[in-house]
Amino acid sequence: MSTKVRTADTRERILSAACEVIAETGFEKIRMRMVAERARVSTALLHYHFDTREKLFTEAMTHSFAHTAVDVERDAGTAPAAVILARILRNLLPTDPELHQDWRLWQELWARALRDETTRVFAVDLYAQLHAWVADAVRRGIAAGEFTPTDVDDLSTLVLSLSDGYGIRLMLRDPTVTLDTALTSIWRHVSAALGLPETMPAG
């Protein structure tokens, strides 16, 4: 294994461990040692890659989002646009344990962004990436003739707003909101805007 590959593997393990520890413990309580132990690396090696908790946190958030996007877009060139968009919507909610962990990271980000300007700017940038993710999928569907033309930015903003609102209540285990009702509600708005069937596609 080359040095470059080993370095990439080490960073991957550290970032995955950081995501787990931050989600479990909360950013304010984590120590670099805790992440090093979870990643099975020395504290010195962890500091070599990430010299501050803040840098580790922002890299972990970026890592989490990037992995989700890659998985969802794995066959974007061949799958129907509606299937890709439906996948994105499912991945914007805490639909499985991994996404539940991602949501805990987002909640840590929101809380820190309210108190720290650097984190606030980072959070706004991450939202811009999420917005572009949804918008690009919609634009592809419109360009392919699968979707009815619409105001893409307005729809993307609505999707993110609905996802945040429902996601928070799902994370709170609000008994009046279920994953099925959340997805049905969000898809109803999306399908109406894009001229799609009201039933959300599988895949």
Side-chain angles (χ1 to χ4, degrees), residues 35-189:
V35 177
E37 289 175 354
R38 182 70 62 93
R40 301 186 306 281
V41 301
S42 68
T43 304
L45 183 57
L46 174 60
H47 279 283
Y48 171 77
H49 288 281
F50 306 98
D51 54 357
T52 65
R53 285 195 315 157
E54 288 72 18
K55 184 176 180 180
L56 179 60
F57 179 56
T58 56
E59 289 277 355
M61 289 294 306
T62 302
H63 170 82
S64 172
F65 170 64
H67 270 243
T68 299
V70 167
D71 179 61
V72 170
E73 299 275 358
R74 61 187 179 276
D75 56 354
T78 56
V83 169
I84 299 299
L85 184 56
R87 279 185 201 158
I88 290 174
L89 298 186
R90 291 188 181 96
N91 277 269
L92 289 174
L93 293 174
T95 53
D96 62 31
E98 186 174 346
L99 289 167
H100 192 275
Q101 174 180 287
D102 288 348
W103 259 86
R104 291 182 70 91
L105 291 176
W106 275 99
Q107 290 174 313
E108 290 294 322
L109 179 68
W110 291 335
R112 184 162 177 75
L114 294 176
R115 298 186 296 271
D116 179 76
E117 177 63 13
T118 300
T119 306
R120 185 195 67 77
V121 172
F122 173 69
V124 170
D125 180 66
L126 267 187
Y127 263 105
Q129 294 181 51
L130 282 176
H131 186 279
W133 190 32
V134 176
D136 288 348
V138 174
R139 289 191 181 99
R140 287 201 303 267
I142 293 173
E146 297 181 44
F147 298 165
T148 299
T150 190
D151 185 325
V152 177
D153 286 330
D154 184 66
L155 179 61
S156 300
T157 298
L158 177 63
V159 165
L160 293 182
S161 298
L162 290 171
S163 297
D164 279 351
Y166 279 116
I168 289 170
R169 295 178 72 179
L170 288 169
M171 291 295 290
L172 292 173
R173 298 192 297 277
D174 184 333
T176 66
V177 177
T178 68
L179 180 58
D180 285 342
T181 59
L183 286 170
T184 297
S185 176
I186 296 171
W187 186 257
R188 183 168 61 249
H189 290 281

Side-chain angles (χ1 to χ4, degrees), residues 17-38:
C19 289
E20 293 173 6
V21 175
I22 294 169
E24 292 171 8
T25 308
F27 175 78
E28 300 301 335
K29 293 182 180 180
I30 69 163
R31 299 293 178 266
M32 298 292 266
R33 174 185 51 79
M34 298 163 65
V35 177
E37 289 175 354
R38 182 70 62 93

